[in-house]
Amino acid sequence: MKSYILHLHNQMSLLMKLQQHFEPVRAETLKLLNELYKTIEMKLPHSDDKKKDMAIYCNIGRIFLITLSPEALYYGRYVNEMNDSFLAEMVNNKEKRGSKKKICNT
């Protein structure tokens, strides 16, 4: 039997967790854009200029992260199994190494 109240409570908890952890995860992700790009670089289409490609992809990612909000993430259904594991990994990495490593210009 499905319970509407339990379902609503679970959904509200997820939204509250997103709101609570969104800014630290976004800040860490913005710092790591270059490193993250390098992990998926081979799967993306490229021109002859690798530096230009990297700048374009990192810029697109940066704009997306800057304009994204916890509510847009939640209501836009961006959270799927892959994104959830990525976000959890980012939170765990932040806790392990702190905020001392700056890799991508913000």
Side-chain angles (χ1 to χ4, degrees):
M1 174 188 274
K2 289 187 176 184
S3 167
Y4 172 75
I5 293 173
L6 285 175
H7 179 70
L8 182 62
H9 174 73
N10 287 336
Q11 294 232 337
M12 292 302 292
S13 292
L14 176 59
L15 179 56
M16 288 187 311
K17 286 178 184 173
L18 275 170
Q19 290 167 333
Q20 180 183 9
H21 298 288
F22 185 77
E23 289 303 327
V25 171
R26 174 172 38 196
E28 187 69 17
T29 305
L30 283 167
K31 292 177 189 175
L32 296 173
L33 276 177
N34 285 350
E35 186 176 307
L36 294 170
Y37 170 78
K38 289 175 185 174
T39 64
I40 62 164
E41 179 178 13
M42 294 309 210
K43 297 178 182 180
L44 301 170
H46 294 285
S47 68
D48 292 334
D49 188 349
K50 286 193 173 197
K51 286 184 180 183
K52 182 180 176 183
D53 292 340
M54 183 175 184
I56 291 170
Y57 282 116
C58 281
N59 232 9
I60 291 169
R62 187 174 296 107
I63 291 167
F64 176 77
L65 289 168
I66 289 170
T67 58
L68 188 63
S69 70
E71 292 78 14
L73 183 66
Y74 179 79
Y75 292 111
R77 304 288 188 223
Y78 290 117
V79 177
N80 58 32
E81 188 176 329
M82 182 184 81
N83 293 341
D84 178 59
S85 64
F86 172 75
L87 293 171
E89 182 181 329
M90 292 303 296
V91 170
N92 290 336
N93 287 343
K94 180 172 177 35
E95 290 171 359
K96 286 179 187 172
R97 65 184 137 153
S99 298
K100 44 188 162 174
K101 191 174 182 184
K102 185 165 184 166
I103 294 173
C104 189
N105 295 331
T106 56

